[in-house]
Amino acid sequence: MAISLKKMGETFVAEVEGVDLSGPVNAETMAAIRQAWWDHSILVLRGQNISEAQHIDFSRHFGDLQDHTVKDWLLPAHPEILVLSNRGRGGVKPLDNGGAYWHSDMTYEEVPPMGSILHGLTVPPEGGDTLYTDMYAAYEALDDETKALIEGRTAIHSYHHRYMKMAEGGKRPAPTAKQLAQWRDTEHAIVLKHPESGRKALFVNEGFTVSIKGMEPAESEALLARLYAHAVQPEFIYAHKWRADDIVMWDNRTTMHCATPYDFSAYERTMHRTTIKGLALSQAAAA
Ligand code: OGA
Ligand code: MN
């Protein structure tokens, strides 16, 4: 095997050893990383002192890259990279509270991303961990009644809803008319069948899912709240403690994540993210 894998504790996450992304990576190694990604949902690679171009090149092995609807967060020199930094870096404005709620990335898109690859550039000495939860395990642990209740149902996902929540909390400027016109709600199956593994995962998230289609509002709200609480129980969670030059890559369809607090005024925390386009989920479901 071209790489070596180490399980991170009892969780679904694996650390990839023996790979240096600052040099050439051969096809056999890439194939092994891809397989490991589907097998574990989350891979950690430590000590990757890579340039922006290398980050982008590595990410492109897995598919086309997707940019974010808020262009202010994209690195001007490399718009394939989203900058999450409390100080701002490379011409990007500081971002307060990026991802500090349970979510998977951009599920409000018609075709949600397949995955994200996050590179920690500057990380605080304490705090600022990222929590990840295993949505395969969360689905499998549901009782049969709940599984039957959500099978075949869809949920509505909305960026508008999330942005307004942040704007009301003073953490985002008021949206522009152009943004408002762009932000359309989308609808996705609550039980997602993974196109590679064929396994089912729970696919709703507190960040962007707003309701269950065809359900009374009170019932929808109660069921979503129950699913969110279920999915973030400690047995499903991995907490990543960042070191500079860590890379964490997650399968966006089978995990959720949440940034945790740190001393914002004392420390810088700067991360670069690439986002990989997914397959249409209807296509994925048929695969
Ligand atoms: C992200 C994200 C959380 C973090 O990169 O998509 O939500 O801890 N990051 O930086
Ligand atoms: Mn995120």
Side-chain angles (χ1 to χ4, degrees):
M1 173 120 121
I3 58 171
S4 115
L5 288 176
K6 193 173 86 189
K7 287 278 278 176
M8 305 287 275
E10 292 304 305
T11 64
F12 53 122
V13 183
E15 181 174 347
V16 178
E17 292 176 320
V19 175
D20 177 2
L21 300 180
S22 70
V25 182
N26 65 32
E28 188 196 356
T29 301
M30 280 307 309
I33 293 174
R34 184 190 305 271
Q35 186 59 48
W37 203 3
W38 307 149
D39 291 345
H40 297 278
S41 290
I42 295 183
L43 299 180
V44 173
L45 293 85
R46 304 268 196 193
Q48 303 295 326
N49 183 5
I50 54 170
S51 66
E52 282 117 10
Q54 286 166 334
H55 184 180
I56 292 166
D57 283 351
F58 174 64
S59 306
R60 284 221 171 99
H61 279 103
F62 304 98
D64 292 336
L65 304 188
Q66 175 156 3
D67 65 2
H68 198 276
T69 164
V70 182
K71 307 301 174 205
D72 290 355
W73 299 335
L74 306 179
L75 197 62
H78 293 282
E80 300 91 340
I81 289 179
L82 174 82
V83 182
L84 294 108
S85 172
N86 64 332
R87 296 284 186 268
R89 269 262 194 113
V92 176
K93 290 188 194 125
L95 181 62
D96 185 359
N97 262 21
Y101 46 87
W102 280 105
H103 68 285
S104 31
D105 293 328
M106 299 163 71
T107 63
Y108 47 80
E109 297 283 349
E110 196 76 38
V111 180
M114 176 265 274
S116 293
I117 301 182
L118 191 62
H119 181 207
L121 280 96
T122 306
V123 300
E126 53 185 352
D129 299 353
T130 309
L131 309 180
Y132 293 91
T133 194
D134 181 351
M135 296 298 265
Y136 280 138
Y139 173 77
E140 282 155 19
L142 287 170
D143 58 67
D144 289 344
E145 205 176 312
T146 307
K147 280 183 183 162
L149 185 60
I150 60 177
E151 188 64 40
R153 281 197 181 266
T154 58
I156 308 299
H157 296 241
S158 168
Y159 189 63
H160 182 225
H161 169 86
R162 163 57 41 191
Y163 192 95
M164 293 318 285
K165 243 187 178 163
M166 303 300 271
E168 280 155 23
K171 298 197 181 296
R172 301 286 181 271
T176 64
K178 191 171 161 212
Q179 285 175 322
L180 287 172
Q182 270 175 358
W183 294 341
R184 298 201 193 292
D185 293 358
T186 53
E187 182 182 334
H188 301 300
I190 299 176
V191 180
L192 175 146
K193 190 159 168 267
H194 193 276
E196 304 285 337
S197 71
R199 288 172 68 195
K200 288 178 173 179
L202 185 59
F203 194 67
V204 286
N205 69 87
E206 199 165 3
F208 305 120
T209 309
V210 290
S211 61
I212 296 177
K213 200 176 173 193
M215 217 177 237
E216 288 302 318
E219 195 191 347
S220 159
E221 209 171 296
L223 178 54
L224 284 174
R226 182 156 72 81
L227 293 173
Y228 299 151
H230 168 81
V232 301
Q233 294 176 87
E235 62 266 37
F236 306 135
I237 291 181
Y238 165 72
H240 187 74
K241 292 192 184 307
W242 287 91
R243 294 183 215 150
D245 281 336
D246 282 354
I247 284 181
V248 179
M249 44 202 280
W250 57 90
D251 187 325
N252 196 55
R253 301 154 305 189
T254 63
T255 60
M256 291 196 294
H257 56 280
C258 178
T260 64
Y262 59 97
D263 189 334
F264 204 82
S265 56
Y267 306 125
E268 175 178 349
R269 186 177 189 274
T270 297
M271 325 292 277
H272 278 179
R273 187 183 97 198
T274 53
T275 313
I276 299 153
K277 284 188 180 169
L279 280 179
L281 291 177
S282 53
Q283 212 177 318

